[in-house]
Amino acid sequence: DAGADAAEGADAAEEGDGSQLMQDDGPFDKVAMPTSVNYNKFKEVTDLIVNYLDSEEKKLSSSTAAAREETAVADRFSGIKQSDVMRWYMDETSKVGKYSSLDEMAQEYLLLQRIMEYLIHNQQTVIVIQDAPEDDEGNKDDTQRMIALNPNYVLE
């Protein structure tokens, strides 16, 4: 069953060796790192992200259709910054009162980061259009990369 395989893959993607249960860098110091996610939660997050990416791509393509006709330049969708998608998701889930504390919100953000990585690297539902630029030390902030829905992905 493909759904069961995806759930197992999501669980495997979210599980560590158990030795690092705390995140020790950035603004999430000492926040318990989620080690797994059930399939329903994974599917819920995935569906929200996929539908958002699809709607944003459709908005951009419809708003630029008239401009393309006037200029005869075929602009293609250049993606959405991953941090914007993540910010949208956190805003949407906080609107419904999902979080009772900042720790819960931080855990959800870390889980969202892991699911995004899984969607990009394992499922390839989301593709990277442009990598994040490097800073002066040669580090990359992956949330600054441009992403889009895989054109071969079929919306359910």
Side-chain angles (χ1 to χ4, degrees), residues 8-156:
E8 288 174 18
D11 286 342
E14 300 306 320
E15 290 180 26
D17 61 1
S19 63
Q20 185 178 4
L21 294 177
M22 303 298 265
Q23 182 74 12
D24 292 328
D25 58 324
F28 301 111
D29 289 346
K30 307 300 180 209
V31 172
M33 178 71 99
T35 57
S36 66
V37 60
N38 68 36
Y39 180 74
N40 290 336
K41 174 68 175 177
F42 174 78
K43 188 71 172 146
E44 173 190 330
V45 173
T46 300
D47 288 347
L48 283 170
I49 291 169
V50 164
N51 289 330
Y52 177 72
L53 287 171
D54 184 56
S55 69
E56 289 299 303
E57 185 172 350
K58 286 178 181 173
K59 272 192 236 177
L60 182 68
S61 63
S62 67
S63 68
T64 59
R68 274 201 307 259
E69 290 173 7
E70 293 175 11
T71 61
V73 175
D75 293 323
R76 60 189 176 110
F77 183 64
S78 58
I80 301 172
K81 195 178 287 191
Q82 183 175 332
S83 61
D84 293 342
V85 175
M86 294 175 72
R87 184 177 305 111
W88 171 84
Y89 174 86
M90 295 303 293
D91 287 346
E92 288 298 305
T93 55
S94 65
K95 282 180 190 174
V96 295
K98 186 173 184 171
Y99 314 114
S100 61
S101 71
L102 287 177
D103 280 347
E104 282 183 18
M105 191 175 227
Q107 284 180 341
E108 184 74 12
Y109 184 82
L110 293 172
L111 183 66
L112 176 61
Q113 282 183 313
R114 295 179 91 180
I115 290 175
M116 292 290 295
E117 289 301 313
Y118 186 80
L119 292 176
I120 292 169
H121 297 294
N122 296 74
Q123 278 196 336
Q124 298 175 348
T125 301
V126 177
I127 58 173
V128 177
I129 302 289
Q130 180 181 1
D131 270 331
E134 291 184 358
D135 63 11
D136 295 337
E137 290 86 36
N139 300 321
K140 288 184 183 180
D141 177 5
D142 283 341
T143 64
Q144 297 306 305
R145 61 189 168 194
M146 300 300 284
I147 61 172
L149 189 60
N150 187 329
N152 295 326
Y153 183 78
V154 178
L155 290 173
E156 296 175 3

